């Protein structure tokens, strides 16, 4: 099957699966009345150096290993719903949840004692009847540096619909993540199979793998796996593994697009090798409990930023040989860069001034990623057609050359035969004489 047929099959299959999954999700995600109690929370921080601070909300700024954060959640007296569940998640902390001196739930103590990474954890805690009109206390002991800078939304759901916490937080991002996951998975399978028959689909494998890794990171980072009740212990380290792995296939994608004789081809390849080595080293150190993934966040951020700058400069520069694929890459970058800068600016503002408005503004990075991948897919298709056309031209030239060689060989053979006959006839005449 030709590469074009493989791509068509991939898009049709992915579209059918995406529609099917979205139908299941929207069927499961029925409208549910929940209560957002984030406005009822206050927080106190006991820093490792002994200093203390009080905040009138749950936005307390960045804390580090050894700091202890106490969230006080005052519930109203009105008993809003039966069988209620308090839902939230936290990061890199030993967590205890108390009510009226009773420990409702705890997590992370054993992992911290063994020196293991705690990562992100999700809580769905049954709210006791006595808690209404009282207080629920959440104690967080940070185990990494940096650990977190705020506490997630505190919402109360009917217990059977507690999973919708992760959908209601960012429904658009959830749908985009699912679409990316389906297209990445199907595209990877189809392009990998097509790669066996045609080398021009190599970049399809790189692009599909990048999309799949990004979608997996978003699922793990946003806790969306809870909607499908998937295993937490599998997804918790996966968030870091796929996050650190994303630059590798993305760099290889740009390496394959770049001219093999250009400096960009070599630069992208070397950077991809560095990213791969970084992933292997950090994974070994994490699972041997020498250093956890969080310890390398600064290095990972620098590596990702450097890779991103390389790809942006390559895509945005004007080139005399620039065809449609570079135009599409530029458009994708023109959309992605502002959304990325917007989200980075908001995060930076929140670190300096931890005001709720900076935390509650919607993120645009998901939309930017979606459009970037769409235009990258277009660039890949243009590059694919260019390579196919080059292969076809080369084949035509080879066939023409073979025909010329064959006809020349026949002529030479005929000439040689004619010369041989002439020589034999001359010898016969000379003999008779």
């Amino acid at each position: 099957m030709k590469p074009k047929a493989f791509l068509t099959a991939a898009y049709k299959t992915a579209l059918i699966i995406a529609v099917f999954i979205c139908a299941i999700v929207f069927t499961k995600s029925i409208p549910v009345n929940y209560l957002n109690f984030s406005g009822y929370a206050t927080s106190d921080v006991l820093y490792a150096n002994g200093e203390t601070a009080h905040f009138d909300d749950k936005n307390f700024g960045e804390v580090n290993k050894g700091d202890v954060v106490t969230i006080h959640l005052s519930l109203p007296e009105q008993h809003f719903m039966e069988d209620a569940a308090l839902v939230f998640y936290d990061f890199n902390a030993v967590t205890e949840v108390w009510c009226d001196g009773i420990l409702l739930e705890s997590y992370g103590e054993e992992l911290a004692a063994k020196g293991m990474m705690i990562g992100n954890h999700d809580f769905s805690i049954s709210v006791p009847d006595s808690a209404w009109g009282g207080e629920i206390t959440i104690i967080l002991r940070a185990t990494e540096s940096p650990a977190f800078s705020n506490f997630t939304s505190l919402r109360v759901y009917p217990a059977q619909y507690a999973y919708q916490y992760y959908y209601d937080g960012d429904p658009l991002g959830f749908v985009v993540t699912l679409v990316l996951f389906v297209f990445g998975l199907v595209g990877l399978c189809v392009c990998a199979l097509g790669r066996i028959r045609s080398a021009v689909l190599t970049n399809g494998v790189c692009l599909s793998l990048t999309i799949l890794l990004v979608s997996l990171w978003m699922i793990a980072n946003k806790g969306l796996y809870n909607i499908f009740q998937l295993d937490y212990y599998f997804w918790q380290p996966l968030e870091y593994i796929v996050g650190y792995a994303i630059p590798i296939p993305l760099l290889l994608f740009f390496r394959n697009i770049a001219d093999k004789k250009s400096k960009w081809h070599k630069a992208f390849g070397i950077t991809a090798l560095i990213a791969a080595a970084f992933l292997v080293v950090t994974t070994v150190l994490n699972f041997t409990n020498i250093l956890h993934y969080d310890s390398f966040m600064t290095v990972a951020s620098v590596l990702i930023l450097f890779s991103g700058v390389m790809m942006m400069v390559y895509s945005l520069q004007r080139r005399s040989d620039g065809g449609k694929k570079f135009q599409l890459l530029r458009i994708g970058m023109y959309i992605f860069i502002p959304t990325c800068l917007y989200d980075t600016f908001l995060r930076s503002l929140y670190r300096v001034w931890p005001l709720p408005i900076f935390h509650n503004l919607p993120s645009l990075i998901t939309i930017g990623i979606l459009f970037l991948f769409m235009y990258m897919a277009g660039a890949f298709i243009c590059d694919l057609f260019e390579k196919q056309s080059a292969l076809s031209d080369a084949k035509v030239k080879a066939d023409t050359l073979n025909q010329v060689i064959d006809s020349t060989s026949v002529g030479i053979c005929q000439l040689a035969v004619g010369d041989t006959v002439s020589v034999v006839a001359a010898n016969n005449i000379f003999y008779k004489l």
Side-chain angles (χ1 to χ4, degrees):
M1 187 181 292
K2 294 182 178 180
K4 185 176 180 180
F6 267 103
L7 290 176
T8 304
Y11 280 122
K12 288 182 178 179
T13 305
L15 183 60
I16 293 172
I17 296 176
V19 171
F20 179 71
I21 291 180
C22 288
I24 294 176
V25 170
F26 283 113
T27 300
K28 193 172 182 180
S29 302
I30 61 175
V32 174
N33 292 324
Y34 65 86
L35 303 172
N36 191 341
F37 286 153
S38 298
Y40 293 82
T42 62
S43 53
D44 294 289
V45 181
L46 173 60
Y47 298 100
N49 60 9
E51 296 181 0
T52 60
H54 174 78
F55 300 87
D56 292 329
D57 51 32
K58 61 183 182 64
N59 303 301
F60 40 78
E62 187 173 284
V63 295
N64 296 289
K65 185 175 182 178
D67 297 342
V68 180
V69 179
T70 303
I71 305 292
H72 304 278
L73 178 61
S74 300
L75 299 182
E77 293 185 3
Q78 183 179 355
H79 196 153
F80 286 99
M81 63 181 72
E82 300 292 335
D83 193 21
L86 175 65
V87 187
F88 62 90
Y89 64 96
D90 60 17
F91 311 89
N92 303 318
V94 175
T95 306
E96 297 178 352
V97 183
W98 296 81
C99 181
D100 295 332
I102 299 173
L103 181 63
L104 300 181
E105 190 168 339
S106 64
Y107 180 80
E109 188 67 46
E110 294 182 1
L111 293 176
K114 296 177 182 178
M116 299 176 67
M117 185 179 69
I118 296 177
N120 304 346
H121 189 66
D122 311 280
F123 292 85
S124 179
I125 302 168
S126 179
V127 180
D129 292 337
S130 59
W132 298 103
E135 181 179 279
I136 291 179
T137 304
I138 304 171
I139 301 175
L140 313 166
R141 288 191 286 114
T143 57
E144 304 286 347
S145 294
F148 44 86
S149 58
N150 67 90
F151 201 64
T152 57
S153 297
L154 293 157
R155 300 180 193 156
V156 174
Y157 285 81
Q160 61 179 332
Y161 299 116
Y163 64 85
Q164 291 205 184
Y165 173 90
Y166 307 96
Y167 171 81
D168 293 333
D170 186 11
L172 178 60
F174 174 69
V175 173
V176 170
T177 300
L178 276 185
V179 171
L180 290 177
F181 175 78
V182 172
F183 274 85
L185 181 60
V186 175
L188 179 62
C189 294
V190 173
C191 290
L193 290 174
R195 174 64 179 79
I196 300 174
R197 298 286 302 275
S198 176
V200 296
L201 284 173
T202 300
N203 237 13
V205 175
C206 295
L207 178 58
S208 300
L209 183 57
T210 302
I211 294 174
L212 183 62
L213 290 176
V214 169
S215 64
L216 287 173
W217 179 82
M218 294 169 71
I219 290 172
N221 180 259
K222 296 176 181 294
L224 299 177
Y225 54 84
N226 288 279
I227 296 177
F228 303 101
Q229 299 178 350
L230 301 176
D231 184 15
Y232 160 77
Y233 293 99
F234 170 78
W235 287 94
Q236 183 263 328
L238 189 67
E239 175 185 354
Y240 295 91
I241 294 173
V242 299
Y244 289 177
I246 286 171
I248 302 172
L250 192 56
L251 287 164
L252 292 177
F253 173 86
F254 279 87
R255 174 182 177 270
N256 293 334
I257 282 184
D259 186 355
K260 290 184 178 181
K261 297 180 180 179
S262 69
K263 61 181 180 180
W264 288 105
H265 183 82
K266 185 176 180 180
F268 285 129
I270 293 175
T271 310
L273 286 176
I274 294 173
F278 177 74
L279 173 63
V280 172
V281 171
T282 54
T283 300
V284 171
L285 292 176
N286 179 79
F287 285 102
T288 53
N289 292 320
I290 298 175
L291 284 173
H292 295 154
Y293 283 123
D294 282 311
S295 304
F296 300 97
M297 286 299 293
T298 301
V299 180
S301 299
V302 172
L303 179 59
I304 293 172
L305 179 62
F306 177 74
S307 302
V309 170
M310 283 181 61
M311 289 179 277
M312 283 188 289
V313 172
Y314 175 76
S315 301
L316 299 179
Q317 67 179 342
R318 298 290 177 180
R319 57 183 74 242
S320 58
D321 61 339
K324 287 185 178 180
K325 63 182 179 183
F326 294 109
Q327 294 176 8
L328 291 170
L329 285 175
R330 279 196 292 270
I331 295 173
M333 286 295 179
Y334 287 149
I335 298 175
F336 173 72
I337 292 173
T339 61
C340 186
L341 292 175
Y342 167 81
D343 275 47
T344 303
F345 182 66
L346 282 185
R347 289 177 180 271
S348 301
L349 279 178
Y350 185 77
R351 285 182 179 274
V352 178
W353 297 292
L355 302 176
I357 185 173
F358 298 139
H359 179 65
N360 296 330
L361 285 173
S363 172
L364 299 180
I365 192 68
T366 304
I367 303 299
I369 290 173
L370 177 62
F371 277 97
L372 175 63
F373 283 147
M374 287 172 57
Y375 283 100
M376 283 179 65
F380 158 65
I381 293 173
C382 290
D383 186 57
L384 176 64
F385 288 159
E386 286 180 10
K387 289 179 179 178
Q388 276 191 302
S389 177
L391 289 174
S392 299
D393 292 342
K395 186 177 180 181
V396 170
K397 290 179 180 178
D399 291 341
T400 304
L401 181 60
N402 288 332
Q403 290 176 2
V404 172
I405 293 174
D406 291 341
S407 60
T408 304
S409 300
V410 171
I412 292 173
C413 290
Q414 291 175 347
L415 180 61
V417 171
D419 290 344
T420 302
V421 171
S422 300
V423 171
V424 171
N427 287 335
N428 289 334
I429 293 171
F430 179 77
Y431 178 75
K432 289 178 179 179
L433 293 173

